[in-house]
Amino acid sequence: MTETENLMTDADLEQQRLADLAELGDVDLTQYAPGTFGCHEAMHTTSLMLDMTDDQLLQHPAVLANPEFYRLAGAVHEALFALYQAIGEKHLAAD
């Protein structure tokens, strides 16, 4: 299977998001909107994951020794950075 075949379509991602949201059950999502502590918590968790990805993956000898591992770990880091920026932009604008 190629990398492109592994990628979910936008429709697949939305279907998965809605299924995951339904599994949450009766949760007051307003507690997690931008400007709330819940949103800040998601931003902080993303920051921690960014640090861990950099410190524990991108600097790990097994990852550094393998170009494919390094590329994949770098993609994870880039995606987490994009998520951090997206959350921060909306969260801080709501304050």
Side-chain angles (χ1 to χ4, degrees):
M1 192 176 280
T2 67
E3 186 175 330
T4 304
E5 291 171 329
N6 285 331
L7 297 176
M8 295 177 77
T9 66
D10 287 344
D12 293 335
L13 286 170
E14 181 61 7
Q15 183 177 5
Q16 183 63 54
R17 184 187 73 82
L18 292 174
D20 290 345
L21 188 59
E23 283 186 32
L24 283 178
D26 192 25
V27 174
D28 180 8
L29 295 179
T30 62
Q31 294 179 23
Y32 300 94
T36 65
F37 178 77
C39 188
H40 181 81
E41 182 180 50
M43 190 172 76
H44 177 69
T45 300
T46 306
S47 176
L48 292 174
M49 297 299 292
L50 264 168
D51 289 345
M52 288 181 65
T53 302
D54 187 41
D55 295 342
Q56 303 299 315
L57 284 176
L58 286 169
Q59 302 305 314
H60 193 283
V63 173
L64 288 170
N66 186 298
E68 180 186 4
F69 296 171
Y70 191 78
R71 180 183 60 77
L72 291 168
V76 169
H77 192 266
E78 288 177 20
L80 285 168
F81 183 76
L83 176 61
Y84 180 80
Q85 292 295 313
I87 294 172
E89 182 179 326
K90 292 191 184 228
H91 178 58
L92 297 176
D95 281 344

